[in-house]
Structure formats: C-alpha cells, structure tokens
Amino acid sequence: MKYSNPVIKGCFPDPSICKAEGKYYLAASSFQFFPGVPIFESDDLVNWKLIGHALTRKSQLPLEGTNSCTGIYAPTLRYHEGRFYMVTTNTTTGGNFYVWTDNIYGEWSEPLFVEQGGIDPSLYFENGKTYFMSNGSDDEGLAGIIQCEIDLATGKKLTPGRCIWNGCGGRFLESPHLYKINGTYYLMASEGGTEYGHMCVLAKGESPYGPFESCPHNPILTNRNKGGYQLQGAGHCDIVEDNNGNWWLVNLAFRQIGMWTMHHVTGREVCLCPVEFDEDGWFKVGKNGECLEEFETDKLDTVQKKPSDITFADRLQWIHLRNPKPESYELTDESFALSPNEYALEERTLSPTFIGIRQSALKQFISVDIDVFDCEGGISLYMTEDQHYDLAVRQTEKGFELFRRLRVGDLCQEDNVTELESGRLTLNVTADEHIYRFEAEYNGRCIHLGTAQSKYLSTELAGNFTGVLAGLYAQNGKGKAVFTKFRSEDLDKG
C-alpha cells in the first residue's frame, strides 16, 4: 500500500507513541492552548482519531502568563502495567511532571512533579524501576541527556541526575527516549533545532546508563539540505513495534507553502516512517534516512482516509488560548455563542474570548454564519497576538460594519469596510498555499474583501512553535456573537 505524510495534519508537534492492547496511542505538544496534550488512537498507524486530552483542568494546566512560545512542551506517552503515563514540561510555571490514567478515554490524574530540570522528559520502565530522563545538566553541571530513577507513586528522585550521553555535537540536544530491543538499549534523541536543520540521532549500550556508542551513520533521520522537498524539519522521533513485529517511527515535520518557499503555516505535523535494522543492529529509517511525503510498503494493509470536515459537534478539535473564562462560552453541537471579556486578540498572557481549530490543510475552506449583538465577532486566522488576519463584523452607533483586519507585527490595517443593516451574514475564508481569500454572503450577494499572503502568518516570521488556528472570537463590547453552520473542509489532494 501507499500512504502519505503527514499522517496527522495540522499543528500536533513532538509526537510520542505507544501500544496498548493491540491499538496505538499518540500524544503531542500543545504550548499555550487549552485543553492540553491531545491524545490520538489508531488501529493501523496511518488513520488516527483524536480521542481526548491529557490536561483538561486548570489545576493540571495553569497557563496564565503563557505567551505563544511557552506553555506545554514535548510530552512522552507510555503504557506500563495497565496504566498510561504522560510526562511533559510546563515551561511557564516551571517543572517537569507526569499524569496517569487507567482509562485513556477518561480523565487523567493531578500532576506529579519531578525535581529535575531540562525539557522533553521521558520515562522508561524495567525490573520494577522507573527511569526519568530529560535534556539539561546533571547534578555536577554536565550537559547532555540526564537520567535519574524516581518513585513512580510520588515523583520523588531516588538517585541523583546523571549525564548518560552528550549526543553527536549538534545544537539543542533534546527529546530523549530509551528502549530495550533484543537485549540492547537504544537511546534516541534529536539535534539541530526544530527547524530546517532538525535531525534524529541514535546511540546504543548495554545498560540503561550506557556507556552509549553513537550510531556511525547518524543522523538516522533528517531532511536538512533537501532543497525542493516540501516536507522539511524532520526530527523529534519515537518508535513502536506493530502487531506483526515491524518497527515504525513517528516524527514531526512541516510542509512548506511551496517546494522552494521557506514558510509554513500549518505547524509541525506527525509523520510515519518505516524502520529496519542493519546487520549491526542500527536503525535504518525512511528512505536513506529521509522522511518522504509518500511511502510504499507491504508491511501495512489499510486504506488511508481523508480527514473529515470539522463542525461544532467535533468538540475535541476546538481549543482556547490559555485558560478560558467559562462564562464567556455557550457551546452546543449546533451553535457557539461567545461573549466578549476584557481581553482582545492582541492579549499576550491571558485568555480573550476565542475558540478555534488548527489549520490542517494548505488548501482549506472555512465558513460560518454569524449574528452580532453589541460587539465585534468573526473569524481570526491566528498565529500569534502579533500575527493574525480577521474577517469580522461589528455593531456601531449607525448600524453594522463588515471589515477585514490584517495584523503583522507592528503593522495593523483595517480595510474593505462595508456598512450593513444587520449583523447577520455568512463569513467565508478560502486558503491555498500562498493566499487567504476573504468573502462574505449578505442578503443574497457576495462581498469580496480581498486576499492576503499566507507567508506573513508563517512560523518563520512569527518565531513561535505552532501553526495557524482558524478561530471564532468576540471582543470590544458587552453583547455576544452567535455562530452557526460552521464548516471546515480540507481541499488538499488525496
């Protein structure tokens, strides 16, 4: 069969995978978004369903003070003795912690913190011991991959943190994971930064503490220096054995808006690469260490399905900026009613009235009916507080105004202002690789509000770690914006 990457589209970076009772489960980073750490399930490694989030309560996920570059960083998801564990870092409040659940579809525990620094924590279990690792510096100041043993019931350290590997010399050594396969311990990590130089590196040893020997053909996965590849930034990997004894690697990568255009707007997405072992026991990943947009394999027997359109009823897809104020939202499967609070979209550390989905396709159509009462409401293509395009309607002393707002850094422009007799209309945004097109339907006529280049909402310009959200918002007033008939359609090929 052939399958295409990414296998999970949209901003779901830093994937971590495990297997439980014949099914596969995957967790991803969530940064400033609430709820946090989305959890996916799959029967075949290619088709994935979002089934919940690990962090759904403010007590688990305090995000006040979180900007567009902080919050929840890379998680690791593991299954041990009938229980799921998710370990991650809240870079805003500080600290590595883990939560657990016996029901992957239900609620997770309150956090247990581990007094070890760094980010990208991971867990490894063996012979009644729990090994905790992260990047950073050990108790003697040595930098690299740091490991200690912890009490799984409390998070308390049982041994000092110890540097077990220094990597291969690339910058930003991160995302360590430890495995035991056929009696050999493998330590996999990433280097090069989660940008165009991203890469996955590997070492192996004879104990959980090494000493570790670096793979002679590191990096085992990278798309660096691959001009003309739309899929870039491959790295941050985790592996799993399938039900037939084959090995697979999940990694993040991002799709440029053009093969030669170094901008991306859909964030870092989840890809799948086949894994073989060479005669010396080292991983051979993808095609000659590259993550391809398409793989053909006889190790999977399934049909890759196109993502379904998203509606209000797909509640798990909808997320907020930081911890929302519940009183600002009336959410049903048929409509979302949003009431403004004191914050606008430019707010940097608290939560404006906003609820959105990740832009998951380079070509995407988004439509919603809106009715505005004493406020401003609309669709925001939101990358950060400093980079967003808004298609909106607001009530004024004279009636209503339809308009477009383009905010890029210090520049902000409102244009195509159109006076209306009511605030009830349909808003449409159509994305392709290079532009967003803005239109409205009002009293049987189509109103064109122009286009804007997608690259100005790219991660490269924003300097953050996420992708664009297609969000509904309300601000600047004491009334509400009522949204109905929402539809998001993936127009990408396939």
Side-chain angles (χ1 to χ4, degrees), residues 362-411:
L362 296 178
K363 295 182 179 180
Q364 191 161 344
F365 176 70
I366 299 157
S367 178
V368 71
D369 287 2
I370 185 173
D371 202 356
V372 165
F373 306 92
D374 189 22
C375 70
E376 172 191 321
I379 298 174
S380 180
L381 301 172
Y382 183 98
M383 173 59 87
T384 71
E385 59 274 6
D386 291 326
Q387 277 125 323
H388 52 91
Y389 297 159
D390 312 322
L391 176 60
V393 60
R394 61 190 169 205
Q395 188 166 8
T396 68
E397 293 181 356
K398 298 180 179 180
F400 296 86
E401 289 179 342
L402 170 71
F403 66 99
R404 182 184 68 165
R405 179 189 297 116
L406 307 178
R407 178 175 290 279
V408 180
D410 295 329
L411 303 178

Tab-separated table of all heavy atoms in Angstrom, residues 362-411:
chain	number	residue	atom	x	y	z
A	362	LEU	N	-3.162	22.894	3.551
A	362	LEU	CA	-2.678	24.081	2.848
A	362	LEU	C	-3.798	24.703	2.031
A	362	LEU	O	-3.841	25.926	1.847
A	362	LEU	CB	-1.500	23.699	1.949
A	362	LEU	CG	-0.264	23.190	2.685
A	362	LEU	CD1	0.817	22.795	1.686
A	362	LEU	CD2	0.268	24.235	3.651
A	363	LYS	N	-4.715	23.864	1.544
A	363	LYS	CA	-5.913	24.338	0.868
A	363	LYS	C	-7.106	23.984	1.747
A	363	LYS	O	-7.401	22.804	1.950
A	363	LYS	CB	-6.051	23.690	-0.513
A	363	LYS	CG	-4.940	24.071	-1.484
A	363	LYS	CD	-5.161	23.423	-2.840
A	363	LYS	CE	-4.071	23.822	-3.829
A	363	LYS	NZ	-4.268	23.198	-5.163
A	364	GLN	N	-7.771	25.001	2.275
A	364	GLN	CA	-8.823	24.753	3.248
A	364	GLN	C	-9.921	25.809	3.099
A	364	GLN	O	-9.635	26.980	2.838
A	364	GLN	CB	-8.242	24.785	4.668
A	364	GLN	CG	-9.182	24.290	5.750
A	364	GLN	CD	-8.440	23.903	7.015
A	364	GLN	OE1	-7.228	23.725	7.010
A	364	GLN	NE2	-9.161	23.753	8.116
A	365	PHE	N	-11.157	25.375	3.261
A	365	PHE	CA	-12.306	26.280	3.198
A	365	PHE	C	-12.972	26.316	4.563
A	365	PHE	O	-13.261	25.269	5.149
A	365	PHE	CB	-13.305	25.821	2.138
A	365	PHE	CG	-14.555	26.646	2.080
A	365	PHE	CD1	-14.521	27.946	1.595
A	365	PHE	CD2	-15.768	26.123	2.523
A	365	PHE	CE1	-15.678	28.706	1.539
A	365	PHE	CE2	-16.934	26.882	2.467
A	365	PHE	CZ	-16.879	28.178	1.974
A	366	ILE	N	-13.225	27.528	5.066
A	366	ILE	CA	-13.832	27.716	6.377
A	366	ILE	C	-15.025	28.648	6.207
A	366	ILE	O	-14.909	29.716	5.595
A	366	ILE	CB	-12.835	28.318	7.371
A	366	ILE	CG1	-11.646	27.368	7.553
A	366	ILE	CG2	-13.496	28.601	8.710
A	366	ILE	CD1	-10.402	28.043	8.039
A	367	SER	N	-16.172	28.235	6.733
A	367	SER	CA	-17.385	29.027	6.594
A	367	SER	C	-18.179	28.989	7.887
A	367	SER	O	-18.238	27.945	8.561
A	367	SER	CB	-18.240	28.488	5.438
A	367	SER	OG	-19.443	29.210	5.305
A	368	VAL	N	-18.807	30.123	8.232
A	368	VAL	CA	-19.658	30.165	9.418
A	368	VAL	C	-20.678	31.285	9.260
A	368	VAL	O	-20.395	32.326	8.665
A	368	VAL	CB	-18.812	30.357	10.705
A	368	VAL	CG1	-18.229	31.766	10.794
A	368	VAL	CG2	-19.616	30.022	11.950
A	369	ASP	N	-21.874	31.044	9.763
A	369	ASP	CA	-22.879	32.100	9.864
A	369	ASP	C	-22.697	32.809	11.200
A	369	ASP	O	-22.398	32.165	12.227
A	369	ASP	CB	-24.289	31.511	9.781
A	369	ASP	CG	-24.651	31.057	8.381
A	369	ASP	OD1	-23.793	31.158	7.472
A	369	ASP	OD2	-25.781	30.584	8.201
A	370	ILE	N	-22.897	34.115	11.192
A	370	ILE	CA	-22.686	34.903	12.396
A	370	ILE	C	-23.824	35.896	12.566
A	370	ILE	O	-24.391	36.392	11.583
A	370	ILE	CB	-21.323	35.642	12.348
A	370	ILE	CG1	-21.040	36.369	13.666
A	370	ILE	CG2	-21.248	36.605	11.173
A	370	ILE	CD1	-19.656	36.964	13.758
A	371	ASP	N	-24.153	36.172	13.809
A	371	ASP	CA	-25.098	37.232	14.164
A	371	ASP	C	-24.515	37.959	15.365
A	371	ASP	O	-24.253	37.333	16.401
A	371	ASP	CB	-26.467	36.632	14.498
A	371	ASP	CG	-27.595	37.649	14.362
A	371	ASP	OD1	-27.296	38.827	14.087
A	371	ASP	OD2	-28.764	37.259	14.536
A	372	VAL	N	-24.262	39.255	15.203
A	372	VAL	CA	-23.535	40.034	16.202
A	372	VAL	C	-24.487	40.957	16.961
A	372	VAL	O	-25.342	41.611	16.348
A	372	VAL	CB	-22.405	40.850	15.535
A	372	VAL	CG1	-21.877	41.916	16.461
A	372	VAL	CG2	-21.272	39.929	15.127
A	373	PHE	N	-24.313	41.017	18.277
A	373	PHE	CA	-25.097	41.901	19.123
A	373	PHE	C	-24.147	42.687	20.029
A	373	PHE	O	-23.517	42.124	20.932
A	373	PHE	CB	-26.073	41.097	19.985
A	373	PHE	CG	-26.964	40.179	19.194
A	373	PHE	CD1	-26.573	38.862	18.974
A	373	PHE	CD2	-28.164	40.620	18.673
A	373	PHE	CE1	-27.391	37.994	18.257
A	373	PHE	CE2	-28.981	39.753	17.948
A	373	PHE	CZ	-28.592	38.443	17.740
A	374	ASP	N	-24.021	43.977	19.784
A	374	ASP	CA	-23.255	44.892	20.639
A	374	ASP	C	-21.833	44.396	20.910
A	374	ASP	O	-21.388	44.331	22.055
A	374	ASP	CB	-23.994	45.111	21.962
A	374	ASP	CG	-23.340	46.233	22.793
A	374	ASP	OD1	-22.634	47.078	22.201
A	374	ASP	OD2	-23.522	46.230	24.027
A	375	CYS	N	-21.111	44.034	19.844
A	375	CYS	CA	-19.706	43.662	19.982
A	375	CYS	C	-19.121	43.468	18.593
A	375	CYS	O	-19.790	43.693	17.581
A	375	CYS	CB	-19.536	42.400	20.828
A	375	CYS	SG	-20.113	40.884	20.044
A	376	GLU	N	-17.889	43.035	18.557
A	376	GLU	CA	-17.232	42.606	17.320
A	376	GLU	C	-17.042	41.099	17.370
A	376	GLU	O	-16.640	40.545	18.396
A	376	GLU	CB	-15.866	43.285	17.184
A	376	GLU	CG	-15.015	42.770	16.039
A	376	GLU	CD	-13.574	43.268	16.102
A	376	GLU	OE1	-13.353	44.435	16.467
A	376	GLU	OE2	-12.658	42.467	15.785
A	377	GLY	N	-17.331	40.431	16.262
A	377	GLY	CA	-17.112	38.992	16.206
A	377	GLY	C	-16.742	38.562	14.802
A	377	GLY	O	-17.041	39.265	13.832
A	378	GLY	N	-16.085	37.429	14.695
A	378	GLY	CA	-15.712	36.964	13.371
A	378	GLY	C	-14.791	35.773	13.397
A	378	GLY	O	-14.677	35.059	14.402
A	379	ILE	N	-14.135	35.563	12.260
A	379	ILE	CA	-13.129	34.513	12.088
A	379	ILE	C	-11.753	35.152	12.175
A	379	ILE	O	-11.491	36.164	11.520
A	379	ILE	CB	-13.265	33.819	10.725
A	379	ILE	CG1	-14.618	33.124	10.582
A	379	ILE	CG2	-12.136	32.807	10.506
A	379	ILE	CD1	-14.862	32.545	9.190
A	380	SER	N	-10.880	34.577	12.967
A	380	SER	CA	-9.496	35.023	13.021
A	380	SER	C	-8.585	33.888	12.579
A	380	SER	O	-8.674	32.772	13.097
A	380	SER	CB	-9.102	35.464	14.435
A	380	SER	OG	-7.752	35.900	14.464
A	381	LEU	N	-7.737	34.169	11.595
A	381	LEU	CA	-6.634	33.266	11.258
A	381	LEU	C	-5.480	33.682	12.146
A	381	LEU	O	-4.770	34.649	11.877
A	381	LEU	CB	-6.286	33.379	9.781
A	381	LEU	CG	-7.443	33.049	8.829
A	381	LEU	CD1	-7.064	33.382	7.404
A	381	LEU	CD2	-7.856	31.593	8.961
A	382	TYR	N	-5.304	32.950	13.234
A	382	TYR	CA	-4.478	33.400	14.359
A	382	TYR	C	-3.194	32.585	14.435
A	382	TYR	O	-3.241	31.361	14.616
A	382	TYR	CB	-5.274	33.256	15.649
A	382	TYR	CG	-4.574	33.755	16.892
A	382	TYR	CD1	-4.829	35.016	17.399
A	382	TYR	CD2	-3.663	32.945	17.578
A	382	TYR	CE1	-4.203	35.476	18.554
A	382	TYR	CE2	-3.029	33.388	18.712
A	382	TYR	CZ	-3.301	34.656	19.205
A	382	TYR	OH	-2.664	35.110	20.336
A	383	MET	N	-2.060	33.262	14.288
A	383	MET	CA	-0.776	32.633	14.546
A	383	MET	C	-0.246	33.058	15.921
A	383	MET	O	0.096	32.231	16.755
A	383	MET	CB	0.226	32.973	13.446
A	383	MET	CG	1.650	32.496	13.730
A	383	MET	SD	1.803	30.715	13.974
A	383	MET	CE	2.014	30.169	12.295
A	384	THR	N	-0.175	34.349	16.157
A	384	THR	CA	0.194	34.887	17.470
A	384	THR	C	-0.620	36.154	17.689
A	384	THR	O	-1.347	36.613	16.805
A	384	THR	CB	1.692	35.239	17.568
A	384	THR	OG1	1.950	36.413	16.765
A	384	THR	CG2	2.577	34.100	17.098
A	385	GLU	N	-0.456	36.744	18.865
A	385	GLU	CA	-1.113	38.012	19.142
A	385	GLU	C	-0.655	39.116	18.196
A	385	GLU	O	-1.368	40.105	17.984
A	385	GLU	CB	-0.860	38.433	20.598
A	385	GLU	CG	0.595	38.592	20.972
A	385	GLU	CD	1.261	37.296	21.419
A	385	GLU	OE1	0.624	36.227	21.328
A	385	GLU	OE2	2.422	37.364	21.875
A	386	ASP	N	0.515	38.956	17.590
A	386	ASP	CA	1.045	39.958	16.667
A	386	ASP	C	0.837	39.596	15.203
A	386	ASP	O	1.163	40.403	14.322
A	386	ASP	CB	2.552	40.156	16.906
A	386	ASP	CG	2.839	40.817	18.237
A	386	ASP	OD1	2.026	41.659	18.656
A	386	ASP	OD2	3.861	40.486	18.861
A	387	GLN	N	0.359	38.404	14.928
A	387	GLN	CA	0.150	37.965	13.547
A	387	GLN	C	-1.185	37.250	13.429
A	387	GLN	O	-1.321	36.099	13.826
A	387	GLN	CB	1.289	37.041	13.085
A	387	GLN	CG	2.498	37.816	12.605
A	387	GLN	CD	3.753	37.417	13.342
A	387	GLN	OE1	3.707	37.138	14.530
A	387	GLN	NE2	4.867	37.384	12.652
A	388	HIS	N	-2.173	37.982	12.927
A	388	HIS	CA	-3.466	37.355	12.662
A	388	HIS	C	-4.231	38.172	11.625
A	388	HIS	O	-4.090	39.388	11.533
A	388	HIS	CB	-4.297	37.173	13.941
A	388	HIS	CG	-4.472	38.403	14.780
A	388	HIS	ND1	-5.529	39.272	14.632
A	388	HIS	CD2	-3.727	38.903	15.789
A	388	HIS	CE1	-5.430	40.252	15.510
A	388	HIS	NE2	-4.340	40.058	16.228
A	389	TYR	N	-5.021	37.474	10.831
A	389	TYR	CA	-5.922	38.078	9.858
A	389	TYR	C	-7.349	37.835	10.340
A	389	TYR	O	-7.720	36.678	10.623
A	389	TYR	CB	-5.762	37.438	8.476
A	389	TYR	CG	-4.411	37.608	7.808
A	389	TYR	CD1	-4.023	36.738	6.790
A	389	TYR	CD2	-3.528	38.640	8.160
A	389	TYR	CE1	-2.800	36.889	6.140
A	389	TYR	CE2	-2.313	38.791	7.524
A	389	TYR	CZ	-1.947	37.906	6.513
A	389	TYR	OH	-0.735	38.048	5.874
A	390	ASP	N	-8.168	38.893	10.398
A	390	ASP	CA	-9.521	38.781	10.930
A	390	ASP	C	-10.544	39.211	9.886
A	390	ASP	O	-10.387	40.260	9.243
A	390	ASP	CB	-9.695	39.655	12.174
A	390	ASP	CG	-8.562	39.473	13.179
A	390	ASP	OD1	-8.102	38.330	13.327
A	390	ASP	OD2	-8.149	40.474	13.803
A	391	LEU	N	-11.581	38.409	9.719
A	391	LEU	CA	-12.741	38.755	8.908
A	391	LEU	C	-13.903	38.889	9.877
A	391	LEU	O	-14.302	37.902	10.508
A	391	LEU	CB	-13.012	37.663	7.866
A	391	LEU	CG	-14.257	37.834	6.996
A	391	LEU	CD1	-14.197	39.131	6.194
A	391	LEU	CD2	-14.435	36.634	6.075
A	392	ALA	N	-14.458	40.107	10.020
A	392	ALA	CA	-15.312	40.357	11.172
A	392	ALA	C	-16.439	41.325	10.850
A	392	ALA	O	-16.438	42.018	9.829
A	392	ALA	CB	-14.469	40.907	12.320
A	393	VAL	N	-17.397	41.361	11.758
A	393	VAL	CA	-18.494	42.320	11.715
A	393	VAL	C	-18.646	42.897	13.122
A	393	VAL	O	-18.419	42.210	14.117
A	393	VAL	CB	-19.798	41.646	11.222
A	393	VAL	CG1	-20.218	40.519	12.140
A	393	VAL	CG2	-20.912	42.661	11.048
A	394	ARG	N	-19.009	44.175	13.187
A	394	ARG	CA	-19.181	44.827	14.487
A	394	ARG	C	-20.378	45.763	14.440
A	394	ARG	O	-20.733	46.307	13.390
A	394	ARG	CB	-17.930	45.603	14.884
A	394	ARG	CG	-17.559	46.723	13.926
A	394	ARG	CD	-16.181	47.275	14.246
A	394	ARG	NE	-15.702	48.162	13.171
A	394	ARG	CZ	-14.421	48.398	12.924
A	394	ARG	NH1	-13.479	47.839	13.664
A	394	ARG	NH2	-14.067	49.212	11.940
A	395	GLN	N	-20.971	45.933	15.599
A	395	GLN	CA	-22.083	46.874	15.708
A	395	GLN	C	-21.533	48.253	16.044
A	395	GLN	O	-20.638	48.398	16.885
A	395	GLN	CB	-23.070	46.414	16.769
A	395	GLN	CG	-24.344	47.238	16.815
A	395	GLN	CD	-25.431	46.589	17.625
A	395	GLN	OE1	-25.207	45.575	18.287
A	395	GLN	NE2	-26.645	47.154	17.564
A	396	THR	N	-22.064	49.268	15.361
A	396	THR	CA	-21.664	50.653	15.586
A	396	THR	C	-22.906	51.466	15.956
A	396	THR	O	-24.031	50.955	15.994
A	396	THR	CB	-21.015	51.246	14.328
A	396	THR	OG1	-22.013	51.385	13.301
A	396	THR	CG2	-19.887	50.350	13.818
A	397	GLU	N	-22.703	52.755	16.200
A	397	GLU	CA	-23.834	53.623	16.510
A	397	GLU	C	-24.783	53.749	15.329
A	397	GLU	O	-25.977	53.986	15.500
A	397	GLU	CB	-23.320	55.006	16.922
A	397	GLU	CG	-22.550	54.998	18.243
A	397	GLU	CD	-22.073	56.381	18.620
A	397	GLU	OE1	-22.282	57.327	17.814
A	397	GLU	OE2	-21.502	56.535	19.726
A	398	LYS	N	-24.274	53.571	14.103
A	398	LYS	CA	-25.089	53.732	12.899
A	398	LYS	C	-25.671	52.425	12.373
A	398	LYS	O	-26.561	52.445	11.529
A	398	LYS	CB	-24.250	54.385	11.803
A	398	LYS	CG	-23.757	55.776	12.136
A	398	LYS	CD	-22.944	56.345	10.985
A	398	LYS	CE	-22.459	57.751	11.308
A	398	LYS	NZ	-21.654	58.321	10.178
A	399	GLY	N	-25.165	51.328	12.854
A	399	GLY	CA	-25.619	50.032	12.341
A	399	GLY	C	-24.555	48.974	12.525
A	399	GLY	O	-24.115	48.709	13.647
A	400	PHE	N	-24.098	48.390	11.390
A	400	PHE	CA	-23.098	47.337	11.463
A	400	PHE	C	-22.064	47.560	10.364
A	400	PHE	O	-22.352	48.131	9.313
A	400	PHE	CB	-23.753	45.958	11.280
A	400	PHE	CG	-24.722	45.609	12.363
A	400	PHE	CD1	-26.051	46.015	12.284
A	400	PHE	CD2	-24.311	44.880	13.461
A	400	PHE	CE1	-26.955	45.696	13.280
A	400	PHE	CE2	-25.205	44.555	14.475
A	400	PHE	CZ	-26.537	44.965	14.384
A	401	GLU	N	-20.842	47.063	10.626
A	401	GLU	CA	-19.753	47.152	9.655
A	401	GLU	C	-19.111	45.795	9.476
A	401	GLU	O	-18.753	45.119	10.453
A	401	GLU	CB	-18.676	48.140	10.113
A	401	GLU	CG	-19.086	49.595	10.072
A	401	GLU	CD	-17.982	50.510	10.554
A	401	GLU	OE1	-17.042	50.017	11.226
A	401	GLU	OE2	-18.059	51.724	10.265
A	402	LEU	N	-18.975	45.409	8.231
A	402	LEU	CA	-18.168	44.257	7.840
A	402	LEU	C	-16.793	44.783	7.453
A	402	LEU	O	-16.689	45.806	6.776
A	402	LEU	CB	-18.815	43.545	6.655
A	402	LEU	CG	-18.010	42.464	5.941
A	402	LEU	CD1	-17.867	41.227	6.810
A	402	LEU	CD2	-18.680	42.101	4.608
A	403	PHE	N	-15.732	44.108	7.887
A	403	PHE	CA	-14.392	44.606	7.572
A	403	PHE	C	-13.375	43.480	7.676
A	403	PHE	O	-13.660	42.384	8.171
A	403	PHE	CB	-14.002	45.750	8.515
A	403	PHE	CG	-13.847	45.339	9.952
A	403	PHE	CD1	-12.587	45.092	10.490
A	403	PHE	CD2	-14.951	45.188	10.779
A	403	PHE	CE1	-12.432	44.717	11.820
A	403	PHE	CE2	-14.814	44.812	12.105
A	403	PHE	CZ	-13.552	44.573	12.625
A	404	ARG	N	-12.182	43.785	7.199
A	404	ARG	CA	-11.042	42.885	7.306
A	404	ARG	C	-9.926	43.600	8.062
A	404	ARG	O	-9.673	44.786	7.848
A	404	ARG	CB	-10.553	42.475	5.923
A	404	ARG	CG	-9.392	41.496	5.939
A	404	ARG	CD	-8.892	41.207	4.542
A	404	ARG	NE	-8.248	42.380	3.936
A	404	ARG	CZ	-7.483	42.326	2.843
A	404	ARG	NH1	-7.295	41.173	2.224
A	404	ARG	NH2	-6.931	43.414	2.357
A	405	ARG	N	-9.280	42.869	8.964
A	405	ARG	CA	-8.132	43.405	9.701
A	405	ARG	C	-6.914	42.526	9.417
A	405	ARG	O	-6.985	41.295	9.552
A	405	ARG	CB	-8.406	43.436	11.198
A	405	ARG	CG	-7.242	43.974	12.034
A	405	ARG	CD	-7.460	43.778	13.519
A	405	ARG	NE	-8.613	44.510	14.013
A	405	ARG	CZ	-9.705	43.946	14.525
A	405	ARG	NH1	-9.810	42.605	14.561
A	405	ARG	NH2	-10.703	44.670	14.971
A	406	LEU	N	-5.808	43.152	9.040
A	406	LEU	CA	-4.550	42.450	8.826
A	406	LEU	C	-3.545	42.965	9.834
A	406	LEU	O	-3.182	44.146	9.811
A	406	LEU	CB	-4.027	42.681	7.404
A	406	LEU	CG	-4.989	42.379	6.254
A	406	LEU	CD1	-4.338	42.706	4.914
A	406	LEU	CD2	-5.426	40.914	6.287
A	407	ARG	N	-3.099	42.099	10.731
A	407	ARG	CA	-2.093	42.498	11.724
A	407	ARG	C	-0.837	41.664	11.508
A	407	ARG	O	-0.875	40.439	11.598
A	407	ARG	CB	-2.598	42.316	13.152
A	407	ARG	CG	-1.552	42.675	14.206
A	407	ARG	CD	-2.086	42.604	15.612
A	407	ARG	NE	-3.037	43.672	15.884
A	407	ARG	CZ	-2.703	44.919	16.203
A	407	ARG	NH1	-1.415	45.257	16.276
A	407	ARG	NH2	-3.620	45.819	16.454
A	408	VAL	N	0.277	42.353	11.249
A	408	VAL	CA	1.572	41.704	11.088
A	408	VAL	C	2.588	42.514	11.872
A	408	VAL	O	3.002	43.606	11.447
A	408	VAL	CB	1.988	41.610	9.604
A	408	VAL	CG1	3.356	40.928	9.488
A	408	VAL	CG2	0.945	40.851	8.792
A	409	GLY	N	2.976	42.014	13.029
A	409	GLY	CA	3.916	42.743	13.874
A	409	GLY	C	3.341	44.075	14.314
A	409	GLY	O	2.220	44.158	14.826
A	410	ASP	N	4.091	45.141	14.098
A	410	ASP	CA	3.659	46.478	14.497
A	410	ASP	C	2.685	47.106	13.503
A	410	ASP	O	2.181	48.208	13.750
A	410	ASP	CB	4.872	47.403	14.651
A	410	ASP	CG	5.780	46.968	15.793
A	410	ASP	OD1	5.247	46.405	16.770
A	410	ASP	OD2	6.998	47.172	15.700
A	411	LEU	N	2.444	46.443	12.376
A	411	LEU	CA	1.566	46.991	11.344
A	411	LEU	C	0.162	46.409	11.499
A	411	LEU	O	-0.007	45.190	11.642
A	411	LEU	CB	2.107	46.664	9.953
A	411	LEU	CG	3.536	47.128	9.651
A	411	LEU	CD1	3.943	46.684	8.254
A	411	LEU	CD2	3.650	48.647	9.783
